[in-house]
């Protein structure tokens, strides 16, 4: 099922059993921020990006290594070398995604990011090392920036796809099929938003972190809140701006976010996460956040 109809989605989604697959990844992969600088093409539709003067490549590299070290204590985490010609490559989840037995290559909107999809080393890792089948969407014309645009409840096989210049309806359908999902709800993001995973996180299939201002239609917010109640956290504008919505669960009992997000997280929302069974782990990423993404954007998941 793929639909924009909220009632149809809600008629199906609550009955989807949590047997679609593991709710969290078995490994993670990163791409180093080599050549870290302002990507002017990406800045055209990413309002979270800072001015060029705010980019500190050395600090970003140190923080990225700290992120890998922290994640490695939770699950195997590999890091591929970056490329100075692709300054956005430290956000690989938009380009490469995985599902059981296969990997998906997305179609990026901007040419500077389209170069990332051609990386033979990452493709070879999935194909030759892990033995995954390739689903290559990079050469068709519809933008579909994978788990930037599509937030997936891996336990139940449900997708939440925010449409913007980074993903159209045809691209959403291609991703729905590539990941083999049971049902995907499509909706418009609010003006100025570029990726769904900045305004929505589904944590191990049992909780959701939602930034209401990131959605064009508040009825979508209400639907997602209903689906994950009582473990639906509705972020304030301050939490939204600090990337609280750009968090991720990599196991059953911990949610990862940046230190800035952790500092902005209200005590009552931290308690909601605790009630859902999650401890909050935070990593300093302020230098990386200048590029318009935060912790979840840095993490590619291996399922």
């Amino acid at each position: 099922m793929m639909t924009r109809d909220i009632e149809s989605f809600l008629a199906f989604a609550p009955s989807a059993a949590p047997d679609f697959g593991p709710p969290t990844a078995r490994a993670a992969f990163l791409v180093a921020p080599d050549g870290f600088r302002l990507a002017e093409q990406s800045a055209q539709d990413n309002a979270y990006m800072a001015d060029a003067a705010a980019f500190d490549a050395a600090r970003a590299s140190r923080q990225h290594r700290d992120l890998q070290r922290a994640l490695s204590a939770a699950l195997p985490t590999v890091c591929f070398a970056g490329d100075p010609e692709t300054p956005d490559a430290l956000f690989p989840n938009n380009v490469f995604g995985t599902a059981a037995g296969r990997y998906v290559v997305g179609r990026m909107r901007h040419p500077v990011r389209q170069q990332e999809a051609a990386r033979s080393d990452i493709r070879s890792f999935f194909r030759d090392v892990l033995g995954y089948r390739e689903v290559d969407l990079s050469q068709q014309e519809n933008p579909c920036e994978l788990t930037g645009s599509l937030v997936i409840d891996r336990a139940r096989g449900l997708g939440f796809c925010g449409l913007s210049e980074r993903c159209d309806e045809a691209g959403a359908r291609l991703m729905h099929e590539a990941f083999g999902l049971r049902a995907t709800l499509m909706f418009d993001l609010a003006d100025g938003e570029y990726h769904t995973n900045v305004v929505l996180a589904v944590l191990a299939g049992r909780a959701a972190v939602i930034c209401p201002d990131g959605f064009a239609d508040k009825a979508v917010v209400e639907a997602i809140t209903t689906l994950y109640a009582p473990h639906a956290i509705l972020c304030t504008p301050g939490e939204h701006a600090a990337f609280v919505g750009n968090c991720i669960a990599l196991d059953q009992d911990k949610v990862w976010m940046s230190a800035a997000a952790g500092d902005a997280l209200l005590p009552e929302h931290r308690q909601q996460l605790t009630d859902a069974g999650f401890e909050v782990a935070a990593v300093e990423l302020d230098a990386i956040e200048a590029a318009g993404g935060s912790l979840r954007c840095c993490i590619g998941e291996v399922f």
Side-chain angles (χ1 to χ4, degrees):
M1 167 194 272
M2 283 200 69
T3 185
R4 276 180 169 270
D5 188 278
I6 296 170
E7 291 186 4
S8 296
F9 183 78
L10 282 181
F12 173 84
S15 64
D19 60 358
F20 184 76
T24 59
R26 63 190 182 104
F29 67 95
L30 313 176
V31 174
D34 301 330
F36 185 72
R37 67 185 187 281
L38 176 67
E40 294 182 358
Q41 292 177 13
S42 299
Q44 295 171 16
D45 59 350
N46 184 341
Y48 295 88
M49 293 183 79
D51 294 335
F55 282 67
D56 184 335
R59 182 172 174 80
S61 182
R62 290 195 300 271
Q63 291 183 346
H64 197 267
R65 287 291 294 144
D66 290 343
L67 174 62
Q68 184 184 8
R69 188 176 301 108
L71 297 179
S72 293
L75 78 173
T77 305
V78 300
C79 184
F80 294 95
D83 180 350
E85 298 302 314
T86 57
D88 285 326
L90 77 160
F91 302 135
N93 76 301
N94 310 147
V95 187
F96 297 98
T98 66
R102 62 194 179 277
Y103 74 99
V104 184
V105 187
R107 165 65 157 79
M108 306 304 291
R109 180 191 179 208
H110 296 295
V112 70
R113 298 222 63 189
Q114 291 168 11
Q115 298 176 54
E116 298 171 39
R119 286 193 56 157
S120 60
D121 58 339
I122 298 179
R123 287 178 181 247
S124 179
F125 173 76
F126 288 117
R127 182 185 63 243
D128 302 329
V129 177
L130 297 184
Y132 283 10
R133 174 175 61 88
E134 178 182 273
V135 181
D136 190 352
L137 306 179
S138 67
Q139 299 304 304
Q140 52 80 41
E141 63 182 10
N142 302 103
C144 50
E145 299 200 353
L146 299 192
T147 54
S149 297
L150 177 67
V151 171
I152 303 175
D153 180 334
R154 300 278 184 162
R156 293 191 277 184
L158 304 176
F160 303 90
C161 192
L163 304 179
S164 70
E165 293 176 316
R166 304 289 186 101
C167 181
D168 60 18
E169 284 198 23
R173 183 169 299 280
L174 289 168
M175 293 191 298
H176 171 86
E177 294 170 353
F179 287 102
L181 301 178
R182 288 169 169 162
T184 296
L185 177 65
M186 296 181 293
F187 49 86
D188 293 323
L189 294 176
D191 289 343
E193 296 293 347
Y194 73 109
H195 272 161
T196 314
N197 75 356
V198 178
V199 300
L200 174 66
V202 174
L203 306 176
R206 66 177 191 270
V209 178
I210 309 162
C211 298
D213 289 347
F215 296 77
D217 185 352
K218 301 313 174 190
V220 176
V221 175
E222 294 171 5
I224 299 173
T225 300
T226 297
L227 188 59
Y228 291 97
H231 303 310
I233 293 91
L234 297 178
C235 293
T236 65
E239 290 173 315
H240 178 173
F243 290 111
V244 171
N246 196 237
C247 59
I248 188 171
L250 293 171
D251 56 36
Q252 291 280 9
D253 56 13
K254 188 173 292 184
V255 56
W256 295 83
M257 62 183 65
S258 73
D263 290 343
L265 186 66
L266 294 179
E268 54 266 38
H269 291 164
R270 187 180 294 268
Q271 184 60 52
Q272 279 186 271
L273 289 170
T274 299
D275 293 343
F278 294 107
E279 173 191 358
V280 174
V283 181
E284 193 73 53
L285 292 177
D286 62 288
I288 287 172
E289 288 174 335
S294 189
L295 187 141
R296 196 273 173 269
C297 295
C298 292
I299 298 171
E301 298 167 283
V302 180
F303 284 89

mmCIF file of all heavy atoms in Angstrom, residues 241-284:
data_model
loop_
_atom_site.group_PDB
_atom_site.id
_atom_site.type_symbol
_atom_site.label_atom_id
_atom_site.label_comp_id
_atom_site.label_asym_id
_atom_site.label_seq_id
_atom_site.Cartn_x
_atom_site.Cartn_y
_atom_site.Cartn_z
ATOM 1 N N ALA A 241 14.880 22.887 15.967
ATOM 2 C CA ALA A 241 16.040 23.603 15.440
ATOM 3 C C ALA A 241 17.348 22.980 15.890
ATOM 4 O O ALA A 241 18.377 23.106 15.203
ATOM 5 C CB ALA A 241 15.977 25.071 15.874
ATOM 6 N N ALA A 242 17.339 22.295 17.030
ATOM 7 C CA ALA A 242 18.548 21.670 17.571
ATOM 8 C C ALA A 242 18.735 20.234 17.093
ATOM 9 O O ALA A 242 19.605 19.523 17.592
ATOM 10 C CB ALA A 242 18.516 21.712 19.101
ATOM 11 N N PHE A 243 17.917 19.790 16.145
ATOM 12 C CA PHE A 243 18.034 18.457 15.542
ATOM 13 C C PHE A 243 17.628 17.317 16.474
ATOM 14 O O PHE A 243 18.099 16.194 16.327
ATOM 15 C CB PHE A 243 19.457 18.196 15.029
ATOM 16 C CG PHE A 243 19.854 19.002 13.821
ATOM 17 C CD1 PHE A 243 20.801 20.006 13.901
ATOM 18 C CD2 PHE A 243 19.277 18.735 12.591
ATOM 19 C CE1 PHE A 243 21.175 20.734 12.786
ATOM 20 C CE2 PHE A 243 19.652 19.451 11.451
ATOM 21 C CZ PHE A 243 20.611 20.462 11.559
ATOM 22 N N VAL A 244 16.731 17.565 17.412
ATOM 23 C CA VAL A 244 16.239 16.461 18.243
ATOM 24 C C VAL A 244 15.555 15.411 17.371
ATOM 25 O O VAL A 244 15.667 14.200 17.623
ATOM 26 C CB VAL A 244 15.286 16.989 19.339
ATOM 27 C CG1 VAL A 244 14.594 15.826 20.049
ATOM 28 C CG2 VAL A 244 16.058 17.832 20.353
ATOM 29 N N GLY A 245 14.855 15.849 16.318
ATOM 30 C CA GLY A 245 14.188 14.907 15.432
ATOM 31 C C GLY A 245 15.130 14.063 14.604
ATOM 32 O O GLY A 245 14.722 13.036 14.042
ATOM 33 N N ASN A 246 16.389 14.436 14.526
ATOM 34 C CA ASN A 246 17.385 13.711 13.741
ATOM 35 C C ASN A 246 18.154 12.745 14.641
ATOM 36 O O ASN A 246 19.375 12.755 14.714
ATOM 37 C CB ASN A 246 18.339 14.707 13.062
ATOM 38 C CG ASN A 246 19.153 14.097 11.950
ATOM 39 O OD1 ASN A 246 20.374 14.138 11.985
ATOM 40 N ND2 ASN A 246 18.503 13.537 10.957
ATOM 41 N N CYS A 247 17.394 11.887 15.320
ATOM 42 C CA CYS A 247 17.969 10.910 16.242
ATOM 43 C C CYS A 247 17.743 9.516 15.682
ATOM 44 O O CYS A 247 17.033 9.328 14.700
ATOM 45 C CB CYS A 247 17.367 11.055 17.641
ATOM 46 S SG CYS A 247 15.570 10.832 17.717
ATOM 47 N N ILE A 248 18.345 8.518 16.329
ATOM 48 C CA ILE A 248 18.239 7.153 15.824
ATOM 49 C C ILE A 248 18.434 6.163 16.958
ATOM 50 O O ILE A 248 19.224 6.405 17.880
ATOM 51 C CB ILE A 248 19.287 6.906 14.713
ATOM 52 C CG1 ILE A 248 19.071 5.547 14.035
ATOM 53 C CG2 ILE A 248 20.711 7.054 15.237
ATOM 54 C CD1 ILE A 248 19.927 5.341 12.793
ATOM 55 N N ALA A 249 17.714 5.069 16.911
ATOM 56 C CA ALA A 249 17.938 3.943 17.824
ATOM 57 C C ALA A 249 18.721 2.883 17.069
ATOM 58 O O ALA A 249 18.294 2.437 15.999
ATOM 59 C CB ALA A 249 16.612 3.369 18.316
ATOM 60 N N LEU A 250 19.854 2.503 17.609
ATOM 61 C CA LEU A 250 20.690 1.470 16.995
ATOM 62 C C LEU A 250 20.646 0.166 17.768
ATOM 63 O O LEU A 250 21.280 -0.813 17.387
ATOM 64 C CB LEU A 250 22.129 1.972 16.866
ATOM 65 C CG LEU A 250 22.302 3.128 15.870
ATOM 66 C CD1 LEU A 250 23.702 3.715 15.966
ATOM 67 C CD2 LEU A 250 21.996 2.686 14.447
ATOM 68 N N ASP A 251 19.922 0.165 18.864
ATOM 69 C CA ASP A 251 19.607 -1.067 19.584
ATOM 70 C C ASP A 251 18.297 -0.829 20.314
ATOM 71 O O ASP A 251 17.656 0.209 20.131
ATOM 72 C CB ASP A 251 20.749 -1.489 20.523
ATOM 73 C CG ASP A 251 21.125 -0.401 21.525
ATOM 74 O OD1 ASP A 251 20.220 0.330 21.994
ATOM 75 O OD2 ASP A 251 22.312 -0.264 21.851
ATOM 76 N N GLN A 252 17.910 -1.752 21.141
ATOM 77 C CA GLN A 252 16.582 -1.690 21.756
ATOM 78 C C GLN A 252 16.481 -0.723 22.925
ATOM 79 O O GLN A 252 15.373 -0.413 23.368
ATOM 80 C CB GLN A 252 16.186 -3.100 22.230
ATOM 81 C CG GLN A 252 15.921 -4.075 21.103
ATOM 82 C CD GLN A 252 14.538 -3.904 20.502
ATOM 83 O OE1 GLN A 252 13.816 -2.964 20.798
ATOM 84 N NE2 GLN A 252 14.151 -4.828 19.633
ATOM 85 N N ASP A 253 17.613 -0.248 23.445
ATOM 86 C CA ASP A 253 17.515 0.524 24.690
ATOM 87 C C ASP A 253 18.274 1.842 24.684
ATOM 88 O O ASP A 253 18.459 2.436 25.737
ATOM 89 C CB ASP A 253 17.980 -0.325 25.884
ATOM 90 C CG ASP A 253 19.398 -0.873 25.706
ATOM 91 O OD1 ASP A 253 20.118 -0.426 24.804
ATOM 92 O OD2 ASP A 253 19.765 -1.771 26.493
ATOM 93 N N LYS A 254 18.701 2.326 23.513
ATOM 94 C CA LYS A 254 19.442 3.588 23.497
ATOM 95 C C LYS A 254 19.074 4.375 22.239
ATOM 96 O O LYS A 254 18.991 3.817 21.145
ATOM 97 C CB LYS A 254 20.942 3.321 23.524
ATOM 98 C CG LYS A 254 21.800 4.571 23.706
ATOM 99 C CD LYS A 254 23.278 4.199 23.902
ATOM 100 C CE LYS A 254 23.493 3.492 25.225
ATOM 101 N NZ LYS A 254 24.924 3.211 25.479
ATOM 102 N N VAL A 255 18.848 5.676 22.414
ATOM 103 C CA VAL A 255 18.620 6.569 21.298
ATOM 104 C C VAL A 255 19.781 7.562 21.239
ATOM 105 O O VAL A 255 20.183 8.133 22.247
ATOM 106 C CB VAL A 255 17.260 7.297 21.409
ATOM 107 C CG1 VAL A 255 17.123 8.072 22.716
ATOM 108 C CG2 VAL A 255 17.041 8.218 20.230
ATOM 109 N N TRP A 256 20.331 7.704 20.038
ATOM 110 C CA TRP A 256 21.502 8.555 19.817
ATOM 111 C C TRP A 256 21.080 9.872 19.196
ATOM 112 O O TRP A 256 20.270 9.913 18.275
ATOM 113 C CB TRP A 256 22.485 7.851 18.890
ATOM 114 C CG TRP A 256 23.085 6.606 19.459
ATOM 115 C CD1 TRP A 256 22.546 5.353 19.482
ATOM 116 C CD2 TRP A 256 24.359 6.491 20.099
ATOM 117 N NE1 TRP A 256 23.393 4.469 20.092
ATOM 118 C CE2 TRP A 256 24.527 5.134 20.479
ATOM 119 C CE3 TRP A 256 25.386 7.396 20.372
ATOM 120 C CZ2 TRP A 256 25.663 4.678 21.125
ATOM 121 C CZ3 TRP A 256 26.525 6.948 21.016
ATOM 122 C CH2 TRP A 256 26.656 5.606 21.391
ATOM 123 N N MET A 257 21.672 10.957 19.682
ATOM 124 C CA MET A 257 21.464 12.285 19.114
ATOM 125 C C MET A 257 22.702 13.125 19.372
ATOM 126 O O MET A 257 23.607 12.727 20.125
ATOM 127 C CB MET A 257 20.206 12.948 19.688
ATOM 128 C CG MET A 257 20.219 13.204 21.168
ATOM 129 S SD MET A 257 18.661 13.929 21.799
ATOM 130 C CE MET A 257 17.474 12.625 21.511
ATOM 131 N N SER A 258 22.767 14.285 18.753
ATOM 132 C CA SER A 258 23.911 15.161 18.980
ATOM 133 C C SER A 258 23.838 15.776 20.373
ATOM 134 O O SER A 258 22.778 15.799 21.009
ATOM 135 C CB SER A 258 23.956 16.268 17.931
ATOM 136 O OG SER A 258 22.938 17.231 18.164
ATOM 137 N N ALA A 259 24.985 16.294 20.826
ATOM 138 C CA ALA A 259 25.010 16.940 22.140
ATOM 139 C C ALA A 259 24.093 18.161 22.164
ATOM 140 O O ALA A 259 23.434 18.429 23.172
ATOM 141 C CB ALA A 259 26.440 17.335 22.499
ATOM 142 N N ALA A 260 24.053 18.910 21.058
ATOM 143 C CA ALA A 260 23.159 20.072 21.003
ATOM 144 C C ALA A 260 21.706 19.632 21.134
ATOM 145 O O ALA A 260 20.907 20.273 21.826
ATOM 146 C CB ALA A 260 23.372 20.831 19.696
ATOM 147 N N ALA A 261 21.356 18.533 20.488
ATOM 148 C CA ALA A 261 19.994 18.008 20.611
ATOM 149 C C ALA A 261 19.727 17.540 22.031
ATOM 150 O O ALA A 261 18.648 17.804 22.594
ATOM 151 C CB ALA A 261 19.786 16.862 19.626
ATOM 152 N N GLY A 262 20.699 16.847 22.616
ATOM 153 C CA GLY A 262 20.534 16.387 23.992
ATOM 154 C C GLY A 262 20.344 17.527 24.968
ATOM 155 O O GLY A 262 19.539 17.440 25.907
ATOM 156 N N ASP A 263 21.079 18.624 24.746
ATOM 157 C CA ASP A 263 20.939 19.795 25.612
ATOM 158 C C ASP A 263 19.573 20.452 25.451
ATOM 159 O O ASP A 263 19.024 21.009 26.411
ATOM 160 C CB ASP A 263 22.034 20.812 25.303
ATOM 161 C CG ASP A 263 23.411 20.354 25.746
ATOM 162 O OD1 ASP A 263 23.501 19.418 26.569
ATOM 163 O OD2 ASP A 263 24.406 20.928 25.254
ATOM 164 N N ALA A 264 19.034 20.411 24.226
ATOM 165 C CA ALA A 264 17.745 21.054 23.961
ATOM 166 C C ALA A 264 16.560 20.194 24.379
ATOM 167 O O ALA A 264 15.448 20.712 24.541
ATOM 168 C CB ALA A 264 17.635 21.388 22.470
ATOM 169 N N LEU A 265 16.782 18.897 24.561
ATOM 170 C CA LEU A 265 15.690 17.970 24.878
ATOM 171 C C LEU A 265 15.067 18.325 26.225
ATOM 172 O O LEU A 265 15.744 18.353 27.256
ATOM 173 C CB LEU A 265 16.236 16.542 24.908
ATOM 174 C CG LEU A 265 15.227 15.411 25.087
ATOM 175 C CD1 LEU A 265 14.288 15.315 23.894
ATOM 176 C CD2 LEU A 265 15.972 14.085 25.289
ATOM 177 N N LEU A 266 13.783 18.590 26.233
ATOM 178 C CA LEU A 266 13.099 18.961 27.465
ATOM 179 C C LEU A 266 13.060 17.780 28.434
ATOM 180 O O LEU A 266 12.962 16.626 28.009
ATOM 181 C CB LEU A 266 11.676 19.408 27.166
ATOM 182 C CG LEU A 266 11.501 20.693 26.348
ATOM 183 C CD1 LEU A 266 10.021 20.965 26.131
ATOM 184 C CD2 LEU A 266 12.179 21.875 27.026
ATOM 185 N N PRO A 267 13.123 18.047 29.750
ATOM 186 C CA PRO A 267 13.080 16.953 30.727
ATOM 187 C C PRO A 267 11.874 16.041 30.556
ATOM 188 O O PRO A 267 11.996 14.816 30.693
ATOM 189 C CB PRO A 267 13.047 17.693 32.067
ATOM 190 C CG PRO A 267 13.708 19.004 31.797
ATOM 191 C CD PRO A 267 13.317 19.356 30.386
ATOM 192 N N GLU A 268 10.715 16.605 30.238
ATOM 193 C CA GLU A 268 9.536 15.765 30.097
ATOM 194 C C GLU A 268 9.629 14.871 28.855
ATOM 195 O O GLU A 268 9.104 13.757 28.848
ATOM 196 C CB GLU A 268 8.257 16.608 30.050
ATOM 197 C CG GLU A 268 8.226 17.690 29.004
ATOM 198 C CD GLU A 268 8.687 19.056 29.530
ATOM 199 O OE1 GLU A 268 9.627 19.098 30.339
ATOM 200 O OE2 GLU A 268 8.081 20.064 29.107
ATOM 201 N N HIS A 269 10.319 15.343 27.834
ATOM 202 C CA HIS A 269 10.499 14.514 26.637
ATOM 203 C C HIS A 269 11.571 13.451 26.862
ATOM 204 O O HIS A 269 11.449 12.324 26.369
ATOM 205 C CB HIS A 269 10.845 15.398 25.441
ATOM 206 C CG HIS A 269 9.699 16.255 24.991
ATOM 207 N ND1 HIS A 269 9.845 17.349 24.168
ATOM 208 C CD2 HIS A 269 8.365 16.165 25.273
ATOM 209 C CE1 HIS A 269 8.661 17.892 23.958
ATOM 210 N NE2 HIS A 269 7.759 17.193 24.625
ATOM 211 N N ARG A 270 12.581 13.795 27.627
ATOM 212 C CA ARG A 270 13.574 12.774 28.010
ATOM 213 C C ARG A 270 12.894 11.683 28.831
ATOM 214 O O ARG A 270 13.176 10.497 28.673
ATOM 215 C CB ARG A 270 14.711 13.418 28.802
ATOM 216 C CG ARG A 270 15.877 12.466 29.101
ATOM 217 C CD ARG A 270 16.959 13.202 29.901
ATOM 218 N NE ARG A 270 17.572 14.261 29.113
ATOM 219 C CZ ARG A 270 18.667 14.108 28.374
ATOM 220 N NH1 ARG A 270 19.263 12.926 28.321
ATOM 221 N NH2 ARG A 270 19.177 15.129 27.707
ATOM 222 N N GLN A 271 11.963 12.084 29.694
ATOM 223 C CA GLN A 271 11.237 11.104 30.494
ATOM 224 C C GLN A 271 10.363 10.222 29.612
ATOM 225 O O GLN A 271 10.238 9.015 29.857
ATOM 226 C CB GLN A 271 10.377 11.812 31.548
ATOM 227 C CG GLN A 271 9.664 10.866 32.497
ATOM 228 C CD GLN A 271 10.615 9.992 33.277
ATOM 229 O OE1 GLN A 271 11.555 10.487 33.903
ATOM 230 N NE2 GLN A 271 10.403 8.670 33.261
ATOM 231 N N GLN A 272 9.766 10.806 28.570
ATOM 232 C CA GLN A 272 8.973 9.993 27.644
ATOM 233 C C GLN A 272 9.837 8.928 26.970
ATOM 234 O O GLN A 272 9.406 7.790 26.783
ATOM 235 C CB GLN A 272 8.318 10.878 26.580
ATOM 236 C CG GLN A 272 7.046 11.576 27.023
ATOM 237 C CD GLN A 272 6.379 12.301 25.878
ATOM 238 O OE1 GLN A 272 6.668 13.461 25.613
ATOM 239 N NE2 GLN A 272 5.466 11.623 25.200
ATOM 240 N N LEU A 273 11.046 9.302 26.607
ATOM 241 C CA LEU A 273 11.962 8.326 26.014
ATOM 242 C C LEU A 273 12.322 7.254 27.030
ATOM 243 O O LEU A 273 12.395 6.065 26.701
ATOM 244 C CB LEU A 273 13.210 9.024 25.484
ATOM 245 C CG LEU A 273 13.015 9.891 24.242
ATOM 246 C CD1 LEU A 273 14.258 10.717 23.953
ATOM 247 C CD2 LEU A 273 12.668 9.018 23.031
ATOM 248 N N THR A 274 12.547 7.664 28.264
ATOM 249 C CA THR A 274 12.826 6.695 29.328
ATOM 250 C C THR A 274 11.654 5.735 29.507
ATOM 251 O O THR A 274 11.841 4.520 29.635
ATOM 252 C CB THR A 274 13.113 7.423 30.653
ATOM 253 O OG1 THR A 274 14.265 8.263 30.490
ATOM 254 C CG2 THR A 274 13.380 6.429 31.777
ATOM 255 N N ASP A 275 10.451 6.283 29.496
ATOM 256 C CA ASP A 275 9.257 5.443 29.649
ATOM 257 C C ASP A 275 9.126 4.439 28.500
ATOM 258 O O ASP A 275 8.551 3.350 28.675
ATOM 259 C CB ASP A 275 7.998 6.312 29.713
ATOM 260 C CG ASP A 275 7.945 7.171 30.975
ATOM 261 O OD1 ASP A 275 8.686 6.880 31.936
ATOM 262 O OD2 ASP A 275 7.172 8.154 30.981
ATOM 263 N N ALA A 276 9.655 4.820 27.330
ATOM 264 C CA ALA A 276 9.624 3.916 26.184
ATOM 265 C C ALA A 276 10.779 2.924 26.193
ATOM 266 O O ALA A 276 10.880 2.081 25.299
ATOM 267 C CB ALA A 276 9.659 4.728 24.890
ATOM 268 N N GLY A 277 11.646 3.036 27.209
ATOM 269 C CA GLY A 277 12.749 2.088 27.351
ATOM 270 C C GLY A 277 14.065 2.539 26.773
ATOM 271 O O GLY A 277 14.968 1.724 26.574
ATOM 272 N N PHE A 278 14.216 3.859 26.513
ATOM 273 C CA PHE A 278 15.430 4.362 25.879
ATOM 274 C C PHE A 278 16.238 5.268 26.803
ATOM 275 O O PHE A 278 15.694 6.189 27.417
ATOM 276 C CB PHE A 278 15.088 5.161 24.615
ATOM 277 C CG PHE A 278 14.500 4.341 23.518
ATOM 278 C CD1 PHE A 278 13.150 4.443 23.206
ATOM 279 C CD2 PHE A 278 15.281 3.462 22.787
ATOM 280 C CE1 PHE A 278 12.596 3.696 22.182
ATOM 281 C CE2 PHE A 278 14.738 2.706 21.761
ATOM 282 C CZ PHE A 278 13.392 2.817 21.460
ATOM 283 N N GLU A 279 17.519 5.000 26.840
ATOM 284 C CA GLU A 279 18.489 5.928 27.407
ATOM 285 C C GLU A 279 18.973 6.834 26.279
ATOM 286 O O GLU A 279 19.089 6.405 25.127
ATOM 287 C CB GLU A 279 19.669 5.143 27.988
ATOM 288 C CG GLU A 279 20.830 5.995 28.455
ATOM 289 C CD GLU A 279 22.055 5.155 28.764
ATOM 290 O OE1 GLU A 279 21.977 3.920 28.652
ATOM 291 O OE2 GLU A 279 23.105 5.751 29.095
ATOM 292 N N VAL A 280 19.256 8.086 26.584
ATOM 293 C CA VAL A 280 19.755 9.024 25.580
ATOM 294 C C VAL A 280 21.278 9.044 25.608
ATOM 295 O O VAL A 280 21.896 9.230 26.660
ATOM 296 C CB VAL A 280 19.208 10.448 25.812
ATOM 297 C CG1 VAL A 280 19.850 11.441 24.840
ATOM 298 C CG2 VAL A 280 17.690 10.465 25.659
ATOM 299 N N ALA A 281 21.888 8.835 24.438
ATOM 300 C CA ALA A 281 23.339 8.946 24.278
ATOM 301 C C ALA A 281 23.605 10.113 23.334
ATOM 302 O O ALA A 281 22.986 10.206 22.266
ATOM 303 C CB ALA A 281 23.918 7.658 23.716
ATOM 304 N N ALA A 282 24.500 11.003 23.698
ATOM 305 C CA ALA A 282 24.740 12.210 22.908
ATOM 306 C C ALA A 282 26.221 12.345 22.570
ATOM 307 O O ALA A 282 27.095 12.004 23.373
ATOM 308 C CB ALA A 282 24.266 13.445 23.670
ATOM 309 N N VAL A 283 26.477 12.834 21.364
ATOM 310 C CA VAL A 283 27.834 13.024 20.861
ATOM 311 C C VAL A 283 27.954 14.445 20.326
ATOM 312 O O VAL A 283 27.068 14.923 19.606
ATOM 313 C CB VAL A 283 28.160 12.010 19.735
ATOM 314 C CG1 VAL A 283 29.587 12.206 19.231
ATOM 315 C CG2 VAL A 283 27.956 10.583 20.227
ATOM 316 N N GLU A 284 29.053 15.120 20.648
ATOM 317 C CA GLU A 284 29.276 16.496 20.200
ATOM 318 C C GLU A 284 29.464 16.519 18.687
ATOM 319 O O GLU A 284 30.367 15.881 18.146
ATOM 320 C CB GLU A 284 30.508 17.076 20.882
ATOM 321 C CG GLU A 284 30.645 18.581 20.741
ATOM 322 C CD GLU A 284 29.639 19.336 21.590
ATOM 323 O OE1 GLU A 284 29.562 19.084 22.801
ATOM 324 O OE2 GLU A 284 28.914 20.184 21.008
#
